[in-house]
Protein backbone atom coordinates (compact mmCIF):
# COMPACT_ATOMS: atom_id res chain seq x y z
CA UNK A 1 0.00 0.00 0.00
CA UNK A 2 1.22 3.45 -0.84
CA UNK A 3 0.25 6.63 0.92
CA UNK A 4 1.17 8.76 -2.09
CA UNK A 5 -1.69 10.67 -3.68
CA UNK A 6 -2.76 9.35 -7.09
CA UNK A 7 -1.19 11.34 -9.89
CA UNK A 8 -3.64 13.17 -12.14
CA UNK A 9 -3.85 11.40 -15.50
CA UNK A 10 -3.03 13.80 -18.32
CA UNK A 11 -5.65 14.27 -21.04
CA UNK A 12 -3.95 13.10 -24.18
CA UNK A 13 -4.85 11.63 -27.56
CA UNK A 14 -3.04 8.89 -29.47
CA UNK A 15 -3.30 9.08 -33.26
CA UNK A 16 -1.28 8.22 -36.37
CA UNK A 17 1.14 11.04 -37.15
CA UNK A 18 0.37 13.36 -40.06
CA UNK A 19 3.03 14.94 -42.23
CA UNK A 20 2.63 18.14 -40.21
CA UNK A 21 3.82 16.23 -37.09
CA UNK A 22 7.09 15.12 -38.72
CA UNK A 23 9.32 17.90 -37.27
CA UNK A 24 7.94 17.20 -33.78
CA UNK A 25 8.57 13.46 -34.17
CA UNK A 26 12.13 14.04 -35.40
CA UNK A 27 12.67 16.39 -32.45
CA UNK A 28 11.49 13.66 -30.06
CA UNK A 29 13.84 11.12 -31.65
CA UNK A 30 16.78 13.57 -31.32
CA UNK A 31 15.84 14.43 -27.72
CA UNK A 32 17.91 12.44 -25.23
CA UNK A 33 17.99 14.55 -22.07
CA UNK A 34 16.50 17.88 -23.05
CA UNK A 35 13.68 19.08 -25.28
CA UNK A 36 14.59 19.74 -28.90
CA UNK A 37 12.64 22.54 -30.59
CA UNK A 38 10.83 21.09 -33.65
CA UNK A 39 11.53 24.36 -35.47
CA UNK A 40 15.26 23.65 -35.18
CA UNK A 41 14.91 20.27 -36.93
CA UNK A 42 15.91 19.93 -40.58
CA UNK A 43 13.42 17.74 -42.42
CA UNK A 44 15.56 16.27 -45.19
CA UNK A 45 14.18 14.62 -48.31
CA UNK A 46 15.28 11.26 -46.87
CA UNK A 47 13.11 11.85 -43.80
CA UNK A 48 10.20 12.89 -46.01
CA UNK A 49 10.57 9.66 -47.99
CA UNK A 50 10.85 7.54 -44.83
CA UNK A 51 7.75 9.17 -43.36
CA UNK A 52 5.81 8.57 -46.57
CA UNK A 53 6.97 4.93 -46.55
CA UNK A 54 5.65 4.46 -43.01
CA UNK A 55 2.45 6.41 -43.61
CA UNK A 56 1.53 4.59 -46.82
CA UNK A 57 2.26 1.07 -45.52
CA UNK A 58 -0.74 -0.72 -43.96
CA UNK A 59 1.68 -2.67 -41.72
CA UNK A 60 3.50 0.38 -40.33
CA UNK A 61 2.34 3.35 -38.33
CA UNK A 62 3.99 6.20 -36.47
CA UNK A 63 1.73 7.01 -33.53
CA UNK A 64 1.91 10.31 -31.68
CA UNK A 65 0.68 11.17 -28.21
CA UNK A 66 -0.80 14.65 -28.33
CA UNK A 67 -1.91 17.16 -25.70
CA UNK A 68 -4.62 19.70 -26.40
CA UNK A 69 -5.86 18.09 -29.59
CA UNK A 70 -9.11 19.39 -31.06
CA UNK A 71 -12.42 17.50 -30.86
CA UNK A 72 -11.43 15.34 -33.84
CA UNK A 73 -8.06 14.44 -32.25
CA UNK A 74 -6.11 16.68 -34.63
CA UNK A 75 -3.62 19.47 -33.90
CA UNK A 76 -2.19 19.95 -30.41
CA UNK A 77 1.32 19.41 -29.04
CA UNK A 78 3.20 16.16 -29.67
CA UNK A 79 4.66 14.88 -26.37
CA UNK A 80 5.35 11.24 -27.28
CA UNK A 81 5.65 8.81 -30.16
CA UNK A 82 6.29 5.23 -31.16
CA UNK A 83 6.42 3.25 -34.36
CA UNK A 84 4.43 0.02 -34.68
CA UNK A 85 5.12 -2.58 -37.37
CA UNK A 86 2.63 -5.42 -37.81
CA UNK A 87 4.46 -8.49 -39.07
CA UNK A 88 2.77 -11.45 -40.74
CA UNK A 89 4.31 -14.78 -39.78
CA UNK A 90 3.96 -18.55 -39.77
CA UNK A 91 4.32 -18.96 -35.97
CA UNK A 92 1.40 -18.96 -33.50
CA UNK A 93 -1.01 -20.41 -36.05
CA UNK A 94 -0.27 -17.71 -38.60
CA UNK A 95 -1.06 -14.68 -36.40
CA UNK A 96 0.54 -11.26 -36.85
CA UNK A 97 2.81 -9.84 -34.18
CA UNK A 98 3.50 -6.19 -33.42
CA UNK A 99 7.01 -4.79 -33.21
CA UNK A 100 7.29 -1.51 -31.31
CA UNK A 101 10.26 0.81 -31.81
CA UNK A 102 11.21 4.47 -31.43
CA UNK A 103 9.33 4.90 -28.13
CA UNK A 104 9.84 8.43 -26.85
CA UNK A 105 8.31 10.82 -24.30
CA UNK A 106 9.42 14.45 -24.44
CA UNK A 107 12.21 15.08 -21.90
CA UNK A 108 10.21 17.60 -19.85
CA UNK A 109 7.18 15.31 -19.57
CA UNK A 110 8.79 12.10 -18.38
CA UNK A 111 7.67 10.60 -15.08
CA UNK A 112 4.10 11.83 -15.48
CA UNK A 113 2.55 8.55 -16.63
CA UNK A 114 2.52 9.42 -20.34
CA UNK A 115 4.79 6.50 -21.25
CA UNK A 116 2.37 4.03 -19.73
CA UNK A 117 -0.57 5.64 -21.57
CA UNK A 118 1.37 5.53 -24.86
CA UNK A 119 2.31 1.86 -24.48
CA UNK A 120 -1.11 0.76 -23.22
CA UNK A 121 -2.76 2.38 -26.24
CA UNK A 122 -0.28 0.71 -28.58
CA UNK A 123 -0.84 -2.70 -26.99
CA UNK A 124 -4.60 -2.23 -27.24
CA UNK A 125 -4.27 -1.42 -30.97
CA UNK A 126 -2.21 -4.58 -31.51
CA UNK A 127 -4.74 -6.67 -29.59
CA UNK A 128 -7.66 -5.19 -31.57
CA UNK A 129 -5.85 -6.05 -34.78
CA UNK A 130 -5.54 -9.70 -33.68
CA UNK A 131 -1.79 -9.78 -33.01
CA UNK A 132 -0.59 -12.80 -30.99
CA UNK A 133 2.10 -10.80 -29.22
CA UNK A 134 3.92 -7.48 -28.97
CA UNK A 135 7.70 -7.39 -29.02
CA UNK A 136 10.35 -4.72 -28.56
CA UNK A 137 14.01 -4.34 -27.69
CA UNK A 138 15.63 -1.90 -25.30
CA UNK A 139 19.31 -1.01 -24.99
CA UNK A 140 20.96 -3.00 -22.18
CA UNK A 141 22.11 0.25 -20.53
CA UNK A 142 18.52 1.52 -20.06
CA UNK A 143 17.59 -0.35 -16.89
CA UNK A 144 14.87 2.17 -16.04
CA UNK A 145 13.19 1.31 -19.34
CA UNK A 146 13.49 -2.41 -18.57
CA UNK A 147 11.64 -1.94 -15.27
CA UNK A 148 9.01 0.10 -17.12
CA UNK A 149 8.36 -2.63 -19.72
CA UNK A 150 8.37 -5.36 -17.05
CA UNK A 151 5.79 -3.34 -15.13
CA UNK A 152 3.57 -3.42 -18.23
CA UNK A 153 3.77 -7.24 -18.28
CA UNK A 154 6.52 -7.66 -20.87
CA UNK A 155 8.85 -10.62 -20.29
CA UNK A 156 12.59 -10.14 -20.89
CA UNK A 157 13.05 -13.51 -22.59
CA UNK A 158 15.41 -12.69 -25.47
CA UNK A 159 18.77 -11.20 -26.31
CA UNK A 160 18.67 -8.44 -28.92
CA UNK A 161 21.42 -8.45 -31.58
CA UNK A 162 22.27 -5.75 -34.11
CA UNK A 163 24.67 -5.64 -37.03
CA UNK A 164 25.47 -2.23 -38.51
CA UNK A 165 25.80 -2.35 -42.32
CA UNK B 1 46.16 -20.08 -37.74
CA UNK B 2 44.29 -23.36 -37.70
CA UNK B 3 45.58 -26.71 -38.88
CA UNK B 4 42.05 -28.06 -39.36
CA UNK B 5 41.09 -28.93 -42.94
CA UNK B 6 38.56 -26.54 -44.49
CA UNK B 7 35.02 -27.90 -44.42
CA UNK B 8 33.50 -28.50 -47.83
CA UNK B 9 30.95 -25.76 -48.51
CA UNK B 10 27.56 -27.25 -49.40
CA UNK B 11 26.08 -26.23 -52.76
CA UNK B 12 22.87 -24.50 -51.85
CA UNK B 13 20.57 -21.82 -53.22
CA UNK B 14 18.77 -19.07 -51.29
CA UNK B 15 15.48 -17.91 -52.81
CA UNK B 16 12.11 -16.53 -51.72
CA UNK B 17 9.78 -19.39 -50.79
CA UNK B 18 7.01 -20.35 -53.20
CA UNK B 19 3.64 -21.66 -52.06
CA UNK B 20 4.86 -25.17 -52.86
CA UNK B 21 7.57 -24.75 -50.17
CA UNK B 22 5.04 -23.94 -47.42
CA UNK B 23 4.78 -27.49 -45.94
CA UNK B 24 8.59 -27.72 -45.79
CA UNK B 25 8.84 -24.31 -44.09
CA UNK B 26 6.16 -25.24 -41.54
CA UNK B 27 8.02 -28.52 -40.91
CA UNK B 28 11.24 -26.56 -40.26
CA UNK B 29 9.44 -24.24 -37.84
CA UNK B 30 7.98 -27.27 -35.98
CA UNK B 31 11.37 -29.05 -35.94
CA UNK B 32 13.16 -28.55 -32.61
CA UNK B 33 15.45 -31.56 -32.27
CA UNK B 34 14.44 -33.93 -35.04
CA UNK B 35 13.35 -33.64 -38.65
CA UNK B 36 9.61 -33.21 -39.23
CA UNK B 37 8.27 -34.75 -42.45
CA UNK B 38 6.64 -31.97 -44.52
CA UNK B 39 3.98 -34.49 -45.61
CA UNK B 40 2.88 -34.78 -41.96
CA UNK B 41 2.25 -31.02 -41.68
CA UNK B 42 -1.31 -29.70 -41.85
CA UNK B 43 -1.41 -26.51 -43.91
CA UNK B 44 -4.40 -24.72 -42.42
CA UNK B 45 -6.22 -21.84 -44.08
CA UNK B 46 -4.62 -19.51 -41.48
CA UNK B 47 -1.16 -20.60 -42.61
CA UNK B 48 -2.17 -20.15 -46.27
CA UNK B 49 -3.33 -16.60 -45.46
CA UNK B 50 -0.17 -15.81 -43.49
CA UNK B 51 2.03 -17.09 -46.30
CA UNK B 52 0.11 -15.01 -48.85
CA UNK B 53 0.49 -11.96 -46.58
CA UNK B 54 4.27 -12.43 -46.44
CA UNK B 55 4.61 -13.28 -50.13
CA UNK B 56 2.56 -10.31 -51.35
CA UNK B 57 4.21 -7.72 -49.09
CA UNK B 58 7.21 -5.94 -50.63
CA UNK B 59 8.65 -5.47 -47.11
CA UNK B 60 8.45 -9.13 -46.08
CA UNK B 61 10.01 -12.26 -47.49
CA UNK B 62 10.33 -15.87 -46.40
CA UNK B 63 13.67 -17.08 -47.72
CA UNK B 64 14.47 -20.76 -48.11
CA UNK B 65 17.86 -22.45 -48.37
CA UNK B 66 17.55 -25.25 -50.91
CA UNK B 67 19.77 -28.17 -51.92
CA UNK B 68 19.66 -29.64 -55.41
CA UNK B 69 17.70 -26.78 -56.96
CA UNK B 70 17.44 -26.71 -60.75
CA UNK B 71 19.40 -24.30 -62.95
CA UNK B 72 16.84 -21.56 -62.30
CA UNK B 73 17.09 -22.05 -58.50
CA UNK B 74 13.67 -23.73 -58.31
CA UNK B 75 12.67 -27.10 -56.84
CA UNK B 76 15.08 -29.05 -54.61
CA UNK B 77 15.00 -29.83 -50.90
CA UNK B 78 14.40 -27.09 -48.32
CA UNK B 79 17.02 -27.37 -45.53
CA UNK B 80 16.76 -23.91 -43.99
CA UNK B 81 14.64 -20.76 -43.81
CA UNK B 82 14.31 -17.32 -42.34
CA UNK B 83 11.87 -14.43 -42.57
CA UNK B 84 13.14 -10.94 -43.34
CA UNK B 85 11.08 -7.81 -42.69
CA UNK B 86 12.34 -4.50 -44.09
CA UNK B 87 11.19 -1.68 -41.82
CA UNK B 88 11.09 1.97 -42.84
CA UNK B 89 12.07 4.32 -40.03
CA UNK B 90 13.07 7.83 -39.05
CA UNK B 91 16.37 6.86 -37.38
CA UNK B 92 19.76 6.67 -39.16
CA UNK B 93 18.83 9.40 -41.63
CA UNK B 94 15.64 7.64 -42.71
CA UNK B 95 17.20 4.31 -43.73
CA UNK B 96 15.38 0.98 -43.63
CA UNK B 97 16.49 -1.73 -41.25
CA UNK B 98 16.05 -5.49 -41.64
CA UNK B 99 14.48 -7.64 -38.95
CA UNK B 100 15.29 -11.34 -39.21
CA UNK B 101 13.11 -13.98 -37.55
CA UNK B 102 12.23 -17.66 -37.83
CA UNK B 103 15.81 -18.72 -38.56
CA UNK B 104 15.93 -22.51 -38.91
CA UNK B 105 18.28 -25.19 -40.25
CA UNK B 106 16.87 -28.72 -40.56
CA UNK B 107 17.85 -30.80 -37.50
CA UNK B 108 19.91 -33.33 -39.46
CA UNK B 109 21.91 -30.65 -41.28
CA UNK B 110 23.03 -28.48 -38.38
CA UNK B 111 26.75 -27.99 -37.80
CA UNK B 112 27.58 -28.16 -41.50
CA UNK B 113 27.93 -24.42 -42.12
CA UNK B 114 24.47 -23.95 -43.63
CA UNK B 115 23.39 -21.51 -40.92
CA UNK B 116 26.29 -19.20 -41.74
CA UNK B 117 25.49 -19.37 -45.46
CA UNK B 118 21.82 -18.60 -44.77
CA UNK B 119 22.62 -15.60 -42.56
CA UNK B 120 25.37 -14.22 -44.80
CA UNK B 121 23.01 -14.31 -47.79
CA UNK B 122 20.29 -12.57 -45.78
CA UNK B 123 22.71 -9.86 -44.59
CA UNK B 124 23.92 -9.34 -48.17
CA UNK B 125 20.31 -8.90 -49.35
CA UNK B 126 19.70 -6.31 -46.62
CA UNK B 127 22.90 -4.47 -47.53
CA UNK B 128 22.02 -4.48 -51.24
CA UNK B 129 18.64 -3.01 -50.36
CA UNK B 130 20.32 -0.14 -48.51
CA UNK B 131 19.39 -1.14 -44.96
CA UNK B 132 21.38 0.63 -42.22
CA UNK B 133 21.37 -2.40 -39.96
CA UNK B 134 20.11 -5.92 -39.40
CA UNK B 135 18.50 -6.85 -36.11
CA UNK B 136 17.20 -10.06 -34.53
CA UNK B 137 16.39 -11.53 -31.14
CA UNK B 138 17.30 -14.93 -29.78
CA UNK B 139 15.86 -16.70 -26.73
CA UNK B 140 18.13 -16.21 -23.69
CA UNK B 141 18.39 -19.99 -23.25
CA UNK B 142 19.98 -20.50 -26.70
CA UNK B 143 23.59 -19.65 -25.89
CA UNK B 144 24.89 -21.62 -28.88
CA UNK B 145 22.83 -19.34 -31.12
CA UNK B 146 24.24 -16.28 -29.34
CA UNK B 147 27.81 -17.40 -30.07
CA UNK B 148 26.78 -18.02 -33.69
CA UNK B 149 25.38 -14.51 -34.16
CA UNK B 150 28.35 -12.92 -32.36
CA UNK B 151 30.63 -14.84 -34.74
CA UNK B 152 28.81 -13.19 -37.65
CA UNK B 153 29.55 -9.74 -36.20
CA UNK B 154 26.24 -9.10 -34.45
CA UNK B 155 26.46 -7.14 -31.18
CA UNK B 156 24.30 -8.21 -28.25
CA UNK B 157 23.38 -4.69 -27.25
CA UNK B 158 19.69 -4.98 -26.36
CA UNK B 159 17.24 -6.83 -24.15
CA UNK B 160 14.34 -8.43 -26.02
CA UNK B 161 10.87 -8.14 -24.44
CA UNK B 162 7.67 -9.93 -25.42
CA UNK B 163 4.08 -9.58 -24.28
CA UNK B 164 1.66 -12.36 -25.21
CA UNK B 165 -1.82 -11.03 -26.08
Amino acid sequence: MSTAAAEPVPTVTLRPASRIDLPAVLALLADEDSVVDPEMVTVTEAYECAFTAIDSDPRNEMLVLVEDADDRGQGGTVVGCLQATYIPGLGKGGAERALIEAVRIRADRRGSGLGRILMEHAVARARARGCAWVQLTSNKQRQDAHRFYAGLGFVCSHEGFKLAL
Side-chain angles (χ1 to χ4, degrees), chain A residues 12-13 15 21 24 38 64-69 74-80 106 109:
Chain A
V12 286
T13 304
R15 60 168 168 77
D21 300 310
V64 285
L65 195 68
V66 177
E67 287 181 337
D68 303 323
Q74 300 304 303
T77 303
V78 173
V79 293
R106 213 174 71 181
R109 304 305 308 277

Side-chain angles (χ1 to χ4, degrees), chain A residues 34-53:
Chain A
S34 59
V35 177
V36 174
D37 181 351
E39 293 192 8
M40 300 301 288
V41 169
T42 301
V43 180
T44 63
E45 190 176 340
Y47 285 132
E48 297 270 9
C49 289
F51 181 77
T52 300

Side-chain angles (χ1 to χ4, degrees), chain A residues 2-128:
Chain A
S2 166
T3 56
E7 282 186 21
V9 177
T11 303
V12 286
T13 304
L14 189 79
R15 60 168 168 77
S18 303
R19 167 63 188 82
I20 201 171
D21 300 310
L22 182 53
V25 171
L26 291 171
L28 278 178
L29 296 178
D31 158 3
E32 288 294 333
D33 298 313
S34 59
V35 177
V36 174
D37 181 351
E39 293 192 8
M40 300 301 288
V41 169
T42 301
V43 180
T44 63
E45 190 176 340
Y47 285 132
E48 297 270 9
C49 289
F51 181 77
T52 300
I54 296 167
D55 192 42
S56 62
D57 187 332
R59 289 203 176 89
N60 275 280
E61 55 186 4
M62 177 61 71
L63 300 174
V64 285
L65 195 68
V66 177
E67 287 181 337
D68 303 323
D70 65 22
D71 292 345
R72 295 179 305 148
Q74 300 304 303
T77 303
V78 173
V79 293
C81 69
L82 62 77
Q83 181 175 347
T85 304
Y86 304 103
I87 302 174
L90 295 171
K92 298 271 184 188
E96 276 187 341
R97 64 215 117 101
L99 173 72
I100 290 180
E101 305 221 10
V103 180
R104 294 289 192 286
I105 296 293
R106 213 174 71 181
D108 61 344
R109 304 305 308 277
R110 291 176 200 155
S112 61
L114 291 177
R116 172 173 283 270
I117 293 172
L118 174 63
M119 286 297 300
E120 286 177 346
H121 274 80
V123 168
R125 286 174 82 91
R127 184 178 281 116

